[in-house]
Amino acid sequence: MRPTTPPAATGGPATATRPRFAGPLAAAGGITAVAHLAAPERSLPVPPARDRDVWRPEALDGPTLSALRDRALGDLDTPWPLPLPREYARYFRDGHRDTYEQSVFAQQRRLSRAAVMAAVTMSPLWMDEVLDGVTLLCEQSSWCWPAHDDTQRVHGAIVPTVTDPYLDLGAGEVAGQLAWLDHLLDDALDEHAPGLRARIRHEVDRRVLTPFERRRDWHWLGLDGDVHNWNPWIHGNVLVAALRLVDDPQRRASIVDLVLEGLDRYVAGLPADGAIDEGYAYWWNGACRAIEALDILAHATGGAFDPTGIPALRETVAFPHRVHLGGPWYLNLADGQARPPAHQPWHALYRAARRYGDPAALAHAAAHRRSGEPLAHEEQGLGRLLRALVDREWRDAEPQPSPLPRDVWFGSTQVLIARTQAGRATGLTLAAKGGHNGEHHNHNDVGSVVVALHGVPVLVDAGRPTYTAQTFGPDRYAIWTMQSAWHNVPEIRGTGQRDGAGYAARAVTATVDDAGAQLSLDLAAAYPRDDLRHWRRTARLDRTTGLVHITDTWELQPGDQPEQDAPTTVRWLVAGEIRVGSGTAEITALEGAGTVRLTWEPADAPCRITARRLDDPMLSDVWGDRLTRLDIDVTALGPSGTLVVTVVPGPASPTAPPPLAAPASLDGKERP
């Protein structure tokens, strides 16, 4: 895995001699466009609250405003959430980070609700709620999330070092939120609480803008060529803060120029096909953040900067609908969830699809615009909420079917997705990947296959549990969901895949035509074994029969070493109820999607199942209380052999074998 939270260097200020990176944004005129920045009060694409034609209650979307009002009124009867130092310190003591982060998120969501209510009503009640929330944020020792802070490494501390603030995702989010709030309430906030806007500027400057200017060694800048979703997420928030909160024109232009250069590194790293190796879940806080930031910059320059001609940006707008399996389900590679949270900023995708001219992406976004439901949610952040509230085209969007393309091939990440016909999730959908085991948020899953029935995953990728210190530490691959042992790949002579970019698929070929779609590849290099000559896997969807076939053919060096006697198994992670018999397994899919039958040849290859109890909500909210692994033992086939697994959709068979009397285990230990 390429770590997304490596230790930061101590670094120093930027210098005039630092070579400038110039990529596709520079070529699109971004550098010269900075000279056209609008004044701070006109730089963000949302009218301020003083524009009563926009912010009077009857002008806004009723369901959205009503839901926000109900939640905001409920806030008034409860104390403000307070992130506690003891919970900050827990990360450094026992690796737990979630309690502190959830308090931070709850605090920021409450402030966003109050800001909207203040804009709508201009009531002293809501202005005071804003005053309290802003002051609590400004008096918080750190805006950084503890998992990212270098306070212990640099200072030997387990509490924030207030004289050395760390600029991470959390700090960027607060800076962006306060800038949007300052823009929204503007002079009304000065009139109600003189001095509060000055406090906002002071805190954002010392915690975010000055560190951003002075240090050019933040790992998320991508100076080493490794760019990931932190880059646009932080740069986008710094951009908003600089545009709205910096009055000095020269300094403001300088910060925006640094932001543009940083975003340029990210955009230059986007593959031509728009794929995101971090997966669908991270598209929203990666590529989508970049598109939103560039849209704001286009607005702030009066259209002098226009990035819509950049091919990789156009292609990545299509990424969400291309990895859609059906309904709420998505192909979840890396650290994503197969059924992500419902509150996604669909309006941001809708706006991007309009701007970049992608009717299929527009349809996919519009499929989530349902009459009578809120336009957006404060979980997405204040800026995203405000943009949705004033986007009349999104408010008036008519629901459309999601496009569900027949075939998708991402050559950059070696991911194939195929269904029997475009526009319908009916039947089986096949997804297969090659790639390597050094991807961002990597799991050891070269050659993994996912199969969905009517859009619901049956042969699955588990996803990831709640983040802890272990998730991005040296023991990441001790987490079971990260291991190849719990992905749909072989375990060869007792050996799983190894992490690192060198452990990769070879001889990868994707073939797509009207008869079917298939991915062929050699998995041998993903395993740290010298006796593995090849392991060729072909995963094919046959459109004529509607079946999926996965063929594994291998050649191992014969030998008499003890480790060469360890079992070789082909493994499948199953969601739903499973019944197994000789050469067959019947799976009842989740959500009443129906049944599939797995058969394999040779049919006498024995199988066993291992049940894994799920007690982490990040997993159980998706899959229920357990997942089951089906292991097909091919050891007896010898050093050279072939196994063909066929997935057949259909109703439960009346002659299906009875289920095992009890799960093989609930702790991941195998039982024949």
Side-chain angles (χ1 to χ4, degrees), residues 34-311:
V34 173
H36 299 276
L37 291 177
E41 64 273 12
R42 300 193 309 275
S43 61
L44 299 183
V46 170
R50 64 173 176 270
D51 187 340
R52 300 316 296 168
D53 287 340
V54 173
W55 287 101
R56 54 191 172 87
E58 57 272 23
L60 297 170
D61 180 67
T64 310
L65 189 58
S66 177
L68 282 167
R69 181 188 296 112
D70 288 347
R71 291 191 291 272
L73 287 171
D75 292 337
L76 298 178
D77 296 326
T78 62
W80 275 86
L82 292 178
L84 297 174
R86 72 178 68 180
E87 297 298 341
Y88 201 97
R90 274 197 70 181
Y91 177 80
F92 304 101
R93 289 171 170 163
D94 63 17
H96 182 83
R97 56 186 280 186
D98 196 55
T99 300
Y100 184 88
E101 289 178 5
Q102 293 305 320
S103 295
V104 167
F105 303 154
Q107 188 183 57
Q108 290 185 255
R109 288 195 295 266
R110 178 167 174 169
L111 178 56
S112 292
R113 293 189 287 266
V116 172
M117 294 310 302
V120 170
T121 67
M122 305 302 286
S123 163
L125 171 69
W126 295 113
M127 286 290 189
D128 273 346
E129 181 81 344
V130 168
L131 169 60
D132 287 347
V134 168
T135 303
L136 284 171
L137 276 178
C138 288
E139 293 184 354
Q140 197 167 291
S141 293
S142 177
W143 293 345
C144 177
W145 300 339
H148 305 154
D149 202 345
D150 62 0
T151 184
Q152 185 181 55
R153 187 186 64 83
V154 175
H155 303 285
I158 62 170
V159 293
T161 303
V162 297
T163 55
D164 187 16
Y166 192 90
L167 177 48
D168 77 323
L169 301 174
E173 277 290 282
V174 176
Q177 180 181 29
L178 292 178
W180 281 109
L181 184 148
D182 181 276
H183 173 78
L184 176 67
L185 299 179
D186 198 29
D187 293 339
L189 197 57
D190 263 339
E191 293 167 6
H192 183 79
L196 188 61
R197 295 179 74 201
R199 179 74 185 277
I200 287 173
R201 282 158 173 73
H202 170 74
E203 297 295 344
V204 171
D205 191 5
R206 78 174 184 87
R207 297 171 188 255
V208 173
L209 296 179
T210 293
F212 176 72
E213 289 176 291
R214 290 186 176 177
R215 285 184 57 170
R216 293 284 88 199
D217 63 339
W218 302 107
H219 72 85
W220 43 266
L221 293 177
L223 300 182
D224 60 355
D226 182 22
V227 287
H228 47 77
N229 73 302
W230 280 43
N231 177 300
W233 194 345
I234 297 175
H235 277 114
N237 279 312
V238 171
L239 174 67
V240 170
L243 288 173
R244 190 63 185 91
L245 302 178
V246 177
D247 294 322
D248 180 336
Q250 184 174 353
R251 185 186 182 212
R252 184 167 174 259
S254 175
I255 295 174
V256 172
D257 188 56
L258 283 176
V259 166
L260 182 70
E261 182 184 8
L263 289 170
D264 213 357
R265 291 182 184 277
Y266 180 81
V267 175
L270 284 175
D273 57 19
I276 303 296
D277 69 347
E278 292 165 295
Y280 168 80
Y282 284 88
W283 183 90
W284 293 102
N285 284 320
C288 186
R289 294 278 186 177
I291 290 168
E292 290 172 285
L294 297 174
D295 185 53
I296 288 171
L297 188 57
H299 171 86
T301 60
F305 173 63
D306 181 6
T308 57
I310 298 173

Side-chain angles (χ1 to χ4, degrees), residues 464-490:
R464 57 94 169 171
T466 300
Y467 283 161
T468 67
Q470 184 182 8
T471 311
F472 299 108
D475 296 326
R476 174 179 174 87
Y477 294 97
I479 302 171
W480 67 272
T481 60
M482 315 299 180
Q483 301 167 3
S484 66
W486 291 92
H487 284 82
N488 296 327
V489 298

Side-chain angles (χ1 to χ4, degrees), residues 38 136 227 259 350 412 456 538 638:
L136 284 171
V227 287
V259 166
Y350 191 79
S412 63
V456 179
T538 298

Side-chain angles (χ1 to χ4, degrees), residues 61 350 366 369 375 388 391-399:
D61 180 67
Y350 191 79
R369 178 69 190 105
L375 297 170
D391 188 341
R392 294 190 177 183
E393 290 192 52
W394 172 242
R395 182 194 65 186
D396 298 336
E398 293 291 333

Side-chain angles (χ1 to χ4, degrees), residues 276-548:
I276 303 296
D277 69 347
E278 292 165 295
Y280 168 80
Y282 284 88
W283 183 90
W284 293 102
N285 284 320
C288 186
R289 294 278 186 177
I291 290 168
E292 290 172 285
L294 297 174
D295 185 53
I296 288 171
L297 188 57
H299 171 86
T301 60
F305 173 63
D306 181 6
T308 57
I310 298 173
L313 287 174
R314 289 202 309 270
E315 290 300 316
T316 202
V317 171
F319 185 76
H321 75 260
R322 288 174 174 167
V323 296
H324 183 210
L325 296 177
W329 298 94
Y330 289 79
L331 178 62
N332 62 314
L333 303 177
D335 275 346
Q337 290 176 287
R339 188 170 55 194
H343 297 309
Q344 302 288 0
W346 294 107
H347 59 92
L349 176 60
Y350 191 79
R351 193 161 46 250
R354 290 199 319 254
R355 186 165 173 79
Y356 287 83
D358 189 328
L362 194 77
H364 184 60
H368 298 83
R369 178 69 190 105
R370 297 178 177 89
S371 178
E373 294 187 4
L375 297 170
H377 194 280
E378 63 271 21
E379 285 183 3
Q380 302 159 7
L382 179 58
R384 283 174 160 174
L385 176 61
L386 297 180
R387 296 210 70 182
L389 279 169
V390 302
D391 188 341
R392 294 190 177 183
E393 290 192 52
W394 172 242
R395 182 194 65 186
D396 298 336
E398 293 291 333
Q400 300 181 46
S402 189
L404 296 170
R406 191 189 74 172
D407 302 291
V408 175
W409 168 241
F410 294 114
S412 63
T413 54
Q414 300 176 346
V415 172
L416 174 72
I417 305 168
R419 48 180 56 87
T420 55
Q421 57 184 305
R424 299 182 63 188
T426 306
L428 297 181
T429 298
L430 167 69
K433 76 176 294 289
H436 59 82
N437 284 335
E439 296 163 346
H440 294 111
H441 292 266
N442 179 70
H443 292 197
N444 288 341
D445 61 353
V446 171
S448 188
V449 172
V450 168
V451 177
L453 173 67
H454 309 317
V456 179
V458 179
L459 303 180
V460 309
D461 185 313
R464 57 94 169 171
T466 300
Y467 283 161
T468 67
Q470 184 182 8
T471 311
F472 299 108
D475 296 326
R476 174 179 174 87
Y477 294 97
I479 302 171
W480 67 272
T481 60
M482 315 299 180
Q483 301 167 3
S484 66
W486 291 92
H487 284 82
N488 296 327
V489 298
E491 179 132 319
I492 301 170
R493 287 179 170 169
T495 303
Q497 296 183 11
R498 184 74 58 80
D499 59 288
Y503 295 95
R506 301 183 300 197
V508 179
T509 304
T511 305
V512 173
D513 55 33
D514 289 342
Q518 72 179 35
L519 183 67
S520 298
L521 65 168
D522 184 357
L523 311 185
Y527 294 83
R529 296 197 65 93
D530 295 332
D531 57 349
L532 176 54
R533 293 172 178 167
H534 69 254
W535 189 292
R536 296 193 179 99
R537 166 167 282 191
T538 298
R540 177 174 178 81
L541 170 67
D542 187 323
R543 285 192 242 276
T544 303
T545 63
L547 308 184
V548 166

